[in-house]
Amino acid sequence: MTSHTASRVDPYSDEFLAEPWDDLTLIRDAGHAVWLDRYGIWAIARHDDVVAALRNHEKFSSSRGVGLADLAVDQSWRRPSILVEADPPEHTRNRKVVAGTMTPKALRSLESAFAKAAGRIVDELIDRRQFDGVRDLAEVFPTEVFPRAFGIEVNDETRQRLLDYGSLVFNGNGVENQRFRTAMANAEETISWVTATCARDALQSGGIGAAIHDAAEAAGLTPDDGAMLVRSFLSAGVDTTVSGIAFALNNLATEPDQWLLVRENPLLARAAFEETIRRDCPVIGFFRTTTGSTTVGDLEIAGDQKVLILFAGANRDPRRWNNPDGFDVTRRLTGHLGYGIGIHACVGMVIARMEGEAVFTALRDRVRLIEPNGEPIPRLNNSLRGLDSLPLSIEPA
Ligand code: OVM
Protein backbone atom coordinates (compact mmCIF):
# COMPACT_ATOMS: atom_id res chain seq x y z
CA MET A 1 0.00 0.00 0.00
CA THR A 2 1.26 3.47 -0.82
CA SER A 3 0.08 6.63 0.84
CA HIS A 4 -2.54 8.72 -0.87
CA THR A 5 -2.48 12.21 -2.26
CA ALA A 6 -4.73 14.99 -1.06
CA SER A 7 -5.96 17.53 -3.56
CA ARG A 8 -7.51 20.99 -3.33
CA VAL A 9 -9.54 20.36 -6.49
CA ASP A 10 -13.08 21.63 -5.95
CA PRO A 11 -15.60 19.62 -8.02
CA TYR A 12 -18.27 22.25 -7.23
CA SER A 13 -16.33 25.33 -8.36
CA ASP A 14 -17.58 27.25 -11.38
CA GLU A 15 -14.30 26.50 -13.16
CA PHE A 16 -14.59 22.75 -12.65
CA LEU A 17 -18.23 22.63 -13.64
CA ALA A 18 -17.64 24.61 -16.82
CA GLU A 19 -14.44 22.83 -17.89
CA PRO A 20 -13.38 19.97 -15.59
CA TRP A 21 -10.79 18.39 -17.86
CA ASP A 22 -7.57 19.81 -16.38
CA ASP A 23 -8.71 19.05 -12.84
CA LEU A 24 -9.72 15.54 -13.88
CA THR A 25 -6.23 15.04 -15.28
CA LEU A 26 -4.79 16.19 -11.94
CA ILE A 27 -7.02 13.75 -10.07
CA ARG A 28 -6.15 10.84 -12.36
CA ASP A 29 -2.43 11.58 -12.22
CA ALA A 30 -2.40 11.99 -8.43
CA GLY A 31 -3.30 8.34 -7.85
CA HIS A 32 -5.89 5.61 -8.01
CA ALA A 33 -7.95 7.52 -5.46
CA VAL A 34 -7.45 11.10 -4.30
CA TRP A 35 -8.59 12.72 -1.08
CA LEU A 36 -10.47 15.96 -1.80
CA ASP A 37 -9.82 17.75 1.47
CA ARG A 38 -12.34 20.55 0.99
CA TYR A 39 -15.16 18.05 1.30
CA GLY A 40 -13.59 15.07 3.07
CA ILE A 41 -14.38 12.75 0.18
CA TRP A 42 -12.44 10.42 -2.08
CA ALA A 43 -12.42 10.81 -5.84
CA ILE A 44 -11.73 8.13 -8.45
CA ALA A 45 -11.20 9.17 -12.07
CA ARG A 46 -9.10 6.55 -13.88
CA HIS A 47 -11.03 4.36 -16.28
CA ASP A 48 -10.06 0.97 -14.79
CA ASP A 49 -10.61 2.16 -11.22
CA VAL A 50 -14.03 3.63 -12.06
CA VAL A 51 -15.07 0.36 -13.71
CA ALA A 52 -13.84 -1.68 -10.72
CA ALA A 53 -15.66 0.53 -8.21
CA LEU A 54 -18.94 0.55 -10.14
CA ARG A 55 -18.82 -3.22 -10.56
CA ASN A 56 -18.14 -3.73 -6.86
CA HIS A 57 -21.56 -2.67 -5.60
CA GLU A 58 -21.12 -4.57 -2.32
CA LYS A 59 -18.14 -2.47 -1.22
CA PHE A 60 -19.34 0.67 -3.03
CA SER A 61 -22.89 1.10 -1.82
CA SER A 62 -25.54 3.37 -3.34
CA SER A 63 -28.11 3.34 -0.54
CA ARG A 64 -26.38 6.14 1.38
CA GLY A 65 -26.96 8.39 -1.62
CA VAL A 66 -25.33 9.01 -5.00
CA GLY A 67 -24.81 12.67 -4.14
CA LEU A 68 -22.49 14.28 -1.61
CA ALA A 69 -25.04 14.01 1.21
CA ASP A 70 -24.75 10.85 3.31
CA LEU A 71 -28.31 9.58 3.61
CA ALA A 72 -27.32 7.64 6.74
CA VAL A 73 -26.71 11.00 8.46
CA ASP A 74 -28.15 13.85 6.38
CA GLN A 75 -31.72 14.53 5.37
CA SER A 76 -32.17 14.55 1.60
CA TRP A 77 -34.06 17.32 -0.18
CA ARG A 78 -36.42 14.67 -1.59
CA ARG A 79 -37.47 11.12 -0.79
CA PRO A 80 -34.54 8.92 -1.82
CA SER A 81 -34.95 7.07 -5.09
CA ILE A 82 -35.78 3.39 -4.67
CA LEU A 83 -33.73 2.72 -7.81
CA VAL A 84 -30.51 4.71 -7.93
CA GLU A 85 -30.23 5.20 -4.16
CA ALA A 86 -30.76 1.54 -3.34
CA ASP A 87 -28.68 -1.63 -3.04
CA PRO A 88 -29.59 -5.25 -3.68
CA PRO A 89 -31.94 -6.90 -2.93
CA GLU A 90 -34.32 -3.87 -3.10
CA HIS A 91 -32.51 -2.50 -6.11
CA THR A 92 -32.58 -5.83 -7.95
CA ARG A 93 -36.35 -6.11 -7.55
CA ASN A 94 -37.02 -2.50 -8.59
CA ARG A 95 -34.60 -2.55 -11.48
CA LYS A 96 -36.29 -5.67 -12.86
CA VAL A 97 -39.64 -3.89 -12.81
CA VAL A 98 -38.46 -0.92 -14.85
CA ALA A 99 -36.11 -2.86 -17.14
CA GLY A 100 -39.01 -5.17 -18.03
CA THR A 101 -40.91 -2.24 -19.54
CA MET A 102 -38.11 -1.43 -22.02
CA THR A 103 -39.26 -4.17 -24.39
CA PRO A 104 -38.32 -4.24 -28.08
CA LYS A 105 -41.99 -3.75 -28.90
CA ALA A 106 -42.35 -0.69 -26.67
CA LEU A 107 -39.14 0.78 -28.04
CA ARG A 108 -40.05 0.11 -31.67
CA SER A 109 -43.25 2.04 -31.21
CA LEU A 110 -41.19 5.06 -30.12
CA GLU A 111 -38.88 4.96 -33.10
CA SER A 112 -41.23 6.41 -35.68
CA ALA A 113 -42.60 8.97 -33.20
CA PHE A 114 -39.05 10.16 -32.47
CA ALA A 115 -38.15 10.36 -36.17
CA LYS A 116 -41.30 12.33 -36.97
CA ALA A 117 -40.84 14.81 -34.13
CA ALA A 118 -37.16 15.33 -34.98
CA GLY A 119 -37.95 15.86 -38.66
CA ARG A 120 -40.64 18.42 -37.88
CA ILE A 121 -38.46 20.35 -35.43
CA VAL A 122 -35.45 20.42 -37.78
CA ASP A 123 -37.65 21.52 -40.71
CA GLU A 124 -38.78 24.53 -38.69
CA LEU A 125 -35.19 25.42 -37.85
CA ILE A 126 -34.16 25.22 -41.50
CA ASP A 127 -36.77 27.87 -42.29
CA ARG A 128 -35.13 30.13 -39.71
CA ARG A 129 -31.50 29.40 -40.65
CA GLN A 130 -30.28 30.82 -37.33
CA PHE A 131 -31.34 29.46 -33.98
CA ASP A 132 -30.21 28.54 -30.50
CA GLY A 133 -29.17 24.90 -30.34
CA VAL A 134 -30.21 24.60 -26.70
CA ARG A 135 -33.45 26.56 -26.49
CA ASP A 136 -34.74 25.71 -29.97
CA LEU A 137 -33.61 22.11 -30.38
CA ALA A 138 -31.81 20.35 -27.49
CA GLU A 139 -34.52 21.38 -24.99
CA VAL A 140 -37.42 21.09 -27.39
CA PHE A 141 -36.99 17.51 -28.59
CA PRO A 142 -36.63 15.55 -25.30
CA THR A 143 -39.31 17.59 -23.54
CA GLU A 144 -41.71 16.58 -26.32
CA VAL A 145 -40.93 12.92 -27.00
CA PHE A 146 -40.02 11.84 -23.49
CA PRO A 147 -43.20 12.84 -21.64
CA ARG A 148 -45.28 11.59 -24.56
CA ALA A 149 -43.56 8.18 -24.36
CA PHE A 150 -44.42 8.03 -20.67
CA GLY A 151 -48.06 9.02 -21.13
CA ILE A 152 -47.72 12.59 -19.87
CA GLU A 153 -49.49 15.38 -21.72
CA VAL A 154 -47.02 17.67 -23.49
CA ASN A 155 -47.51 21.38 -23.01
CA ASP A 156 -45.40 24.37 -21.99
CA GLU A 157 -45.85 23.61 -18.30
CA THR A 158 -44.78 19.99 -18.74
CA ARG A 159 -41.66 21.05 -20.62
CA GLN A 160 -40.61 23.64 -18.03
CA ARG A 161 -41.37 21.43 -15.03
CA LEU A 162 -39.31 18.57 -16.44
CA LEU A 163 -36.33 20.85 -17.08
CA ASP A 164 -36.69 22.40 -13.61
CA TYR A 165 -36.86 19.00 -11.97
CA GLY A 166 -33.76 17.77 -13.75
CA SER A 167 -31.92 20.88 -12.63
CA LEU A 168 -33.05 20.22 -9.05
CA VAL A 169 -32.05 16.57 -9.09
CA PHE A 170 -28.55 17.13 -10.44
CA ASN A 171 -27.82 20.29 -8.44
CA GLY A 172 -29.18 18.41 -5.42
CA ASN A 173 -26.43 15.81 -5.75
CA GLY A 174 -23.80 18.39 -4.86
CA VAL A 175 -22.73 20.50 -1.94
CA GLU A 176 -25.28 22.94 -0.51
CA ASN A 177 -23.79 25.90 -2.34
CA GLN A 178 -25.52 28.89 -3.90
CA ARG A 179 -26.34 26.83 -7.00
CA PHE A 180 -28.01 24.24 -4.84
CA ARG A 181 -29.98 26.84 -2.87
CA THR A 182 -31.10 28.71 -6.00
CA ALA A 183 -32.33 25.47 -7.54
CA MET A 184 -34.16 24.61 -4.29
CA ALA A 185 -35.81 28.02 -3.97
CA ASN A 186 -38.86 27.03 -6.00
CA ALA A 187 -38.52 23.32 -5.46
CA GLU A 188 -41.81 22.74 -3.68
CA GLU A 189 -44.03 23.45 -6.68
CA THR A 190 -41.83 21.43 -9.00
CA ILE A 191 -41.76 18.48 -6.61
CA SER A 192 -45.56 18.60 -6.17
CA TRP A 193 -46.01 18.62 -9.93
CA VAL A 194 -43.70 15.63 -10.33
CA THR A 195 -45.41 13.71 -7.53
CA ALA A 196 -48.83 14.32 -9.08
CA THR A 197 -47.57 13.46 -12.57
CA CYS A 198 -46.09 10.11 -11.52
CA ALA A 199 -49.33 8.81 -9.97
CA ARG A 200 -50.95 5.96 -11.82
CA ASP A 201 -54.17 7.84 -12.53
CA ALA A 202 -52.29 10.75 -14.07
CA LEU A 203 -50.56 8.64 -16.71
CA GLN A 204 -52.22 7.80 -20.02
CA SER A 205 -52.66 4.11 -20.70
CA GLY A 206 -50.37 2.61 -23.32
CA GLY A 207 -47.35 4.63 -22.21
CA ILE A 208 -44.21 3.50 -20.40
CA GLY A 209 -45.42 5.17 -17.19
CA ALA A 210 -48.54 3.00 -17.06
CA ALA A 211 -46.43 -0.05 -17.95
CA ILE A 212 -44.16 0.66 -14.97
CA HIS A 213 -47.19 0.85 -12.67
CA ASP A 214 -48.54 -2.43 -14.07
CA ALA A 215 -45.18 -4.15 -13.69
CA ALA A 216 -44.78 -2.78 -10.16
CA GLU A 217 -48.18 -4.12 -9.16
CA ALA A 218 -47.44 -7.51 -10.74
CA ALA A 219 -44.21 -7.67 -8.72
CA GLY A 220 -46.12 -7.00 -5.49
CA LEU A 221 -44.95 -3.40 -5.09
CA THR A 222 -47.23 -0.64 -3.82
CA PRO A 223 -48.75 2.07 -6.06
CA ASP A 224 -46.42 4.47 -4.25
CA ASP A 225 -43.42 2.39 -5.32
CA GLY A 226 -44.74 2.44 -8.88
CA ALA A 227 -44.90 6.23 -8.78
CA MET A 228 -41.37 6.41 -7.35
CA LEU A 229 -40.09 4.30 -10.25
CA VAL A 230 -41.75 6.59 -12.77
CA ARG A 231 -40.11 9.48 -10.90
CA SER A 232 -36.68 7.95 -11.56
CA PHE A 233 -37.19 8.39 -15.29
CA LEU A 234 -38.40 11.95 -14.93
CA SER A 235 -35.34 12.65 -12.74
CA ALA A 236 -32.66 11.22 -14.96
CA GLY A 237 -34.13 11.13 -18.44
CA VAL A 238 -34.64 14.71 -19.59
CA ASP A 239 -31.84 17.15 -18.70
CA THR A 240 -29.25 14.48 -19.44
CA THR A 241 -30.43 14.01 -23.02
CA VAL A 242 -30.83 17.78 -23.44
CA SER A 243 -27.14 18.13 -22.54
CA GLY A 244 -26.10 15.28 -24.80
CA ILE A 245 -27.91 16.73 -27.80
CA ALA A 246 -26.57 20.24 -27.12
CA PHE A 247 -22.95 19.08 -26.83
CA ALA A 248 -23.28 16.90 -29.93
CA LEU A 249 -24.60 19.88 -31.90
CA ASN A 250 -21.64 21.93 -30.72
CA ASN A 251 -19.20 19.16 -31.62
CA LEU A 252 -20.59 18.77 -35.13
CA ALA A 253 -20.74 22.53 -35.70
CA THR A 254 -17.13 23.03 -34.62
CA GLU A 255 -15.70 19.92 -36.33
CA PRO A 256 -16.68 20.14 -40.02
CA ASP A 257 -14.72 16.97 -40.89
CA GLN A 258 -16.81 15.00 -38.44
CA TRP A 259 -20.02 16.55 -39.74
CA LEU A 260 -18.98 15.50 -43.24
CA LEU A 261 -18.54 11.90 -42.09
CA VAL A 262 -22.04 11.95 -40.60
CA ARG A 263 -23.37 13.42 -43.84
CA GLU A 264 -21.74 10.61 -45.80
CA ASN A 265 -22.80 7.73 -43.57
CA PRO A 266 -26.25 7.58 -41.93
CA LEU A 267 -25.00 5.09 -39.33
CA LEU A 268 -22.76 7.78 -37.88
CA ALA A 269 -25.67 9.93 -36.65
CA ARG A 270 -26.00 7.58 -33.71
CA ALA A 271 -22.22 7.40 -33.29
CA ALA A 272 -21.93 11.21 -33.15
CA PHE A 273 -24.32 11.28 -30.19
CA GLU A 274 -22.58 8.37 -28.47
CA GLU A 275 -19.10 9.82 -28.91
CA THR A 276 -20.45 13.03 -27.39
CA ILE A 277 -21.72 11.12 -24.36
CA ARG A 278 -18.17 9.83 -23.92
CA ARG A 279 -16.33 13.04 -24.64
CA ASP A 280 -18.64 15.59 -23.04
CA CYS A 281 -20.09 13.18 -20.50
CA PRO A 282 -23.21 15.02 -19.24
CA VAL A 283 -23.25 13.19 -15.89
CA ILE A 284 -19.92 14.18 -14.33
CA GLY A 285 -20.10 11.54 -11.62
CA PHE A 286 -22.08 9.91 -8.85
CA PHE A 287 -21.06 8.98 -5.32
CA ARG A 288 -20.82 5.63 -3.63
CA THR A 289 -20.20 4.97 0.07
CA THR A 290 -17.73 2.30 1.16
CA THR A 291 -19.26 -0.46 3.27
CA GLY A 292 -15.89 -1.52 4.69
CA SER A 293 -12.21 -1.02 4.02
CA THR A 294 -11.60 -1.41 0.30
CA THR A 295 -8.60 -1.35 -1.99
CA VAL A 296 -8.49 0.94 -4.99
CA GLY A 297 -5.37 0.12 -6.99
CA ASP A 298 -2.50 0.42 -4.50
CA LEU A 299 -4.53 2.34 -1.93
CA GLU A 300 -6.80 1.39 0.90
CA ILE A 301 -9.95 3.35 1.63
CA ALA A 302 -11.64 2.94 5.01
CA GLY A 303 -15.30 2.05 5.40
CA ASP A 304 -18.10 4.65 5.57
CA GLN A 305 -16.33 7.00 3.15
CA LYS A 306 -18.06 8.97 0.43
CA VAL A 307 -16.37 8.32 -2.92
CA LEU A 308 -16.98 10.46 -5.99
CA ILE A 309 -16.84 8.20 -9.05
CA LEU A 310 -15.95 10.47 -11.97
CA PHE A 311 -17.41 9.10 -15.20
CA ALA A 312 -16.10 12.20 -16.99
CA GLY A 313 -12.59 11.40 -15.77
CA ALA A 314 -12.78 7.81 -17.00
CA ASN A 315 -14.12 8.92 -20.36
CA ARG A 316 -11.03 11.05 -21.06
CA ASP A 317 -8.43 8.84 -19.43
CA PRO A 318 -5.45 8.60 -21.82
CA ARG A 319 -4.67 5.23 -20.19
CA ARG A 320 -7.79 3.95 -21.94
CA TRP A 321 -8.42 6.20 -24.96
CA ASN A 322 -6.35 7.43 -27.86
CA ASN A 323 -6.67 11.18 -28.26
CA PRO A 324 -9.19 11.25 -25.37
CA ASP A 325 -10.11 14.93 -25.81
CA GLY A 326 -10.78 14.54 -29.52
CA PHE A 327 -14.22 14.15 -31.08
CA ASP A 328 -14.11 11.15 -33.42
CA VAL A 329 -17.39 9.72 -34.69
CA THR A 330 -15.60 6.62 -35.98
CA ARG A 331 -14.08 5.75 -32.61
CA ARG A 332 -14.74 2.33 -31.03
CA LEU A 333 -16.83 3.39 -28.07
CA THR A 334 -17.30 0.15 -26.14
CA GLY A 335 -16.32 0.75 -22.55
CA HIS A 336 -17.19 4.42 -22.33
CA LEU A 337 -18.81 5.24 -19.00
CA GLY A 338 -21.16 8.07 -19.88
CA TYR A 339 -24.05 5.85 -18.84
CA GLY A 340 -22.16 4.17 -16.01
CA ILE A 341 -21.63 0.41 -15.79
CA GLY A 342 -22.68 -2.39 -13.47
CA ILE A 343 -26.04 -2.91 -11.78
CA HIS A 344 -26.90 0.82 -11.80
CA ALA A 345 -25.96 1.49 -15.43
CA CYS A 346 -28.49 3.85 -17.01
CA VAL A 347 -31.68 1.88 -17.53
CA GLY A 348 -32.93 4.47 -20.04
CA MET A 349 -29.84 4.42 -22.26
CA VAL A 350 -31.69 2.70 -25.08
CA ILE A 351 -34.20 5.57 -25.16
CA ALA A 352 -31.44 8.18 -24.88
CA ARG A 353 -29.61 6.67 -27.85
CA MET A 354 -32.81 6.52 -29.86
CA GLU A 355 -33.34 10.22 -29.16
CA GLY A 356 -29.82 11.06 -30.27
CA GLU A 357 -30.15 8.95 -33.38
CA ALA A 358 -33.47 10.58 -34.29
CA VAL A 359 -32.16 14.14 -33.91
CA PHE A 360 -28.89 13.66 -35.78
CA THR A 361 -30.46 11.54 -38.50
CA ALA A 362 -33.05 14.26 -39.09
CA LEU A 363 -30.25 16.83 -39.26
CA ARG A 364 -27.96 14.89 -41.60
CA ASP A 365 -30.87 14.11 -43.91
CA ARG A 366 -31.87 17.76 -44.22
CA VAL A 367 -28.88 19.97 -43.48
CA ARG A 368 -25.77 20.51 -45.58
CA LEU A 369 -23.88 22.84 -43.29
CA ILE A 370 -24.01 23.50 -39.57
CA GLU A 371 -21.89 26.29 -38.16
CA PRO A 372 -21.31 28.19 -34.92
CA ASN A 373 -22.98 31.60 -34.86
CA GLY A 374 -21.49 32.83 -31.56
CA GLU A 375 -19.90 31.41 -28.45
CA PRO A 376 -21.61 28.60 -26.53
CA ILE A 377 -22.40 29.45 -22.91
CA PRO A 378 -22.04 26.66 -20.33
CA ARG A 379 -24.86 25.87 -17.92
CA LEU A 380 -23.34 25.23 -14.51
CA ASN A 381 -24.91 22.50 -12.42
CA ASN A 382 -23.42 20.64 -9.44
CA SER A 383 -23.32 17.27 -11.21
CA LEU A 384 -24.56 17.72 -14.78
CA ARG A 385 -22.61 19.33 -17.58
CA GLY A 386 -24.66 21.28 -20.08
CA LEU A 387 -25.01 24.35 -22.23
CA ASP A 388 -27.22 27.36 -21.60
CA SER A 389 -26.95 28.68 -25.10
CA LEU A 390 -25.47 27.56 -28.43
CA PRO A 391 -25.89 29.99 -31.35
CA LEU A 392 -25.94 28.06 -34.64
CA SER A 393 -26.67 28.64 -38.27
CA ILE A 394 -27.58 25.96 -40.82
CA GLU A 395 -27.93 25.60 -44.59
CA PRO A 396 -30.43 23.15 -46.06
CA ALA A 397 -29.15 20.16 -48.00
C1 OVM B 1 -33.53 8.31 -9.76
C2 OVM B 1 -32.32 8.63 -10.57
C3 OVM B 1 -31.79 7.68 -11.40
C4 OVM B 1 -30.63 7.95 -12.11
C5 OVM B 1 -30.02 9.15 -11.99
C6 OVM B 1 -30.57 10.10 -11.18
C7 OVM B 1 -29.62 11.74 -9.84
C8 OVM B 1 -31.71 9.85 -10.46
O1 OVM B 1 -33.83 7.13 -9.61
O2 OVM B 1 -34.18 9.24 -9.27
O3 OVM B 1 -29.92 11.28 -11.09
Side-chain angles (χ1 to χ4, degrees):
M1 292 286 157
T2 53
S3 66
H4 69 264
T5 309
S7 167
R8 296 293 293 159
V9 165
D10 181 355
Y12 302 111
S13 69
D14 288 5
E15 295 73 24
F16 183 95
L17 295 172
E19 218 33 61
W21 314 115
D22 289 349
D23 281 341
L24 289 171
T25 300
L26 288 177
I27 293 173
R28 279 192 308 262
D29 291 349
H32 289 281
V34 179
W35 179 252
L36 301 188
D37 55 9
R38 289 169 193 270
Y39 300 104
I41 59 175
W42 291 95
I44 297 178
R46 294 188 192 177
H47 186 276
D48 55 353
D49 296 324
V50 168
V51 169
L54 291 175
R55 289 200 179 284
N56 188 359
H57 54 83
E58 292 188 346
K59 276 289 171 72
F60 290 88
S61 164
S62 291
S63 58
R64 284 166 71 168
V66 298
L68 177 63
D70 181 352
L71 300 187
V73 182
D74 311 315
Q75 260 269 75
S76 179
W77 64 275
R78 64 168 193 169
R79 286 174 64 193
S81 165
I82 63 172
L83 199 58
V84 79
E85 292 165 320
D87 290 324
E90 293 77 19
H91 170 269
T92 315
R93 182 198 66 191
N94 297 336
R95 170 88 182 199
K96 257 193 207 119
V97 167
V98 292
T101 66
M102 309 276 119
T103 60
K105 179 166 173 257
L107 298 170
R108 252 197 320 278
S109 83
L110 299 179
E111 216 166 67
S112 61
F114 284 14
K116 253 172 93 175
R120 196 195 67 243
I121 292 164
V122 170
D123 281 338
E124 286 169 15
L125 297 176
I126 288 172
D127 290 340
R128 294 172 45 184
R129 298 291 164 96
Q130 303 194 335
F131 63 97
D132 189 278
V134 178
R135 196 185 53 240
D136 302 326
L137 178 50
E139 289 185 348
V140 171
F141 180 77
T143 62
E144 173 175 332
V145 302
F146 192 88
R148 190 164 292 147
F150 278 75
I152 299 164
E153 193 198 330
V154 179
N155 54 42
D156 288 349
E157 182 184 13
T158 297
R159 291 175 187 269
Q160 196 54 52
R161 296 279 190 213
L162 289 173
L163 295 173
D164 289 348
Y165 194 61
S167 165
L168 268 178
V169 164
F170 285 93
N171 276 312
N173 270 343
V175 69
E176 292 195 21
N177 52 11
Q178 194 53 47
R179 244 186 308 282
F180 180 101
R181 286 188 294 272
T182 303
M184 292 302 151
N186 300 308
E188 226 130 288
E189 261 191 59
T190 308
I191 293 170
S192 308
W193 181 88
V194 167
T195 304
T197 301
C198 292
R200 178 171 215 148
D201 293 346
L203 296 160
Q204 295 153 12
S205 61
I208 299 173
I212 290 171
H213 275 283
D214 290 348
E217 185 178 8
L221 304 188
T222 66
D224 180 64
D225 289 333
M228 287 294 283
L229 292 174
V230 175
R231 193 194 71 171
S232 285
F233 284 84
L234 270 47
S235 303
V238 179
D239 286 36
T240 48
T241 49
V242 169
S243 289
I245 292 166
F247 281 125
L249 284 169
N250 188 41
N251 288 338
L252 291 167
T254 53
E255 307 251 2
D257 297 354
Q258 299 297 312
W259 172 246
L260 213 71
L261 290 171
V262 175
R263 284 279 291 148
E264 284 164 359
N265 182 351
L267 296 177
L268 294 180
R270 191 179 172 87
F273 181 75
E274 198 65 14
E275 165 69 342
T276 298
I277 299 303
R278 180 197 69 82
R279 178 183 183 271
D280 295 284
C281 201
V283 181
I284 301 168
F286 282 139
F287 282 85
R288 297 291 189 262
T289 308
T290 54
T291 57
S293 85
T294 308
T295 57
V296 179
D298 58 350
L299 296 172
E300 186 159 325
I301 294 183
D304 302 312
Q305 304 297 303
K306 276 271 168 181
V307 185
L308 176 54
I309 313 285
L310 289 157
F311 310 146
N315 276 359
R316 293 209 190 188
D317 184 354
R319 296 160 189 79
R320 171 64 180 77
W321 308 98
N322 292 323
N323 186 19
D325 299 325
F327 176 64
D328 175 3
V329 299
T330 66
R331 186 193 292 276
R332 276 193 56 142
L333 283 162
T334 38
H336 91 72
L337 300 177
Y339 298 103
I341 198 168
I343 64 170
H344 289 282
C346 178
V347 76
M349 70 168 100
V350 193
I351 300 176
R353 287 171 172 150
M354 283 176 52
E355 288 187 37
E357 178 171 10
V359 167
F360 293 99
T361 300
L363 266 181
R364 75 160 290 283
D365 286 350
R366 292 165 173 78
V367 172
R368 181 177 61 83
L369 196 66
I370 176 164
E371 285 181 313
N373 188 33
E375 281 298 306
I377 299 173
R379 177 176 291 174
L380 304 191
N381 175 293
N382 282 337
S383 64
L384 185 71
R385 291 171 32 71
L387 296 176
D388 225 19
S389 155
L390 176 65
L392 294 173
S393 63
I394 51 178
E395 295 286 337

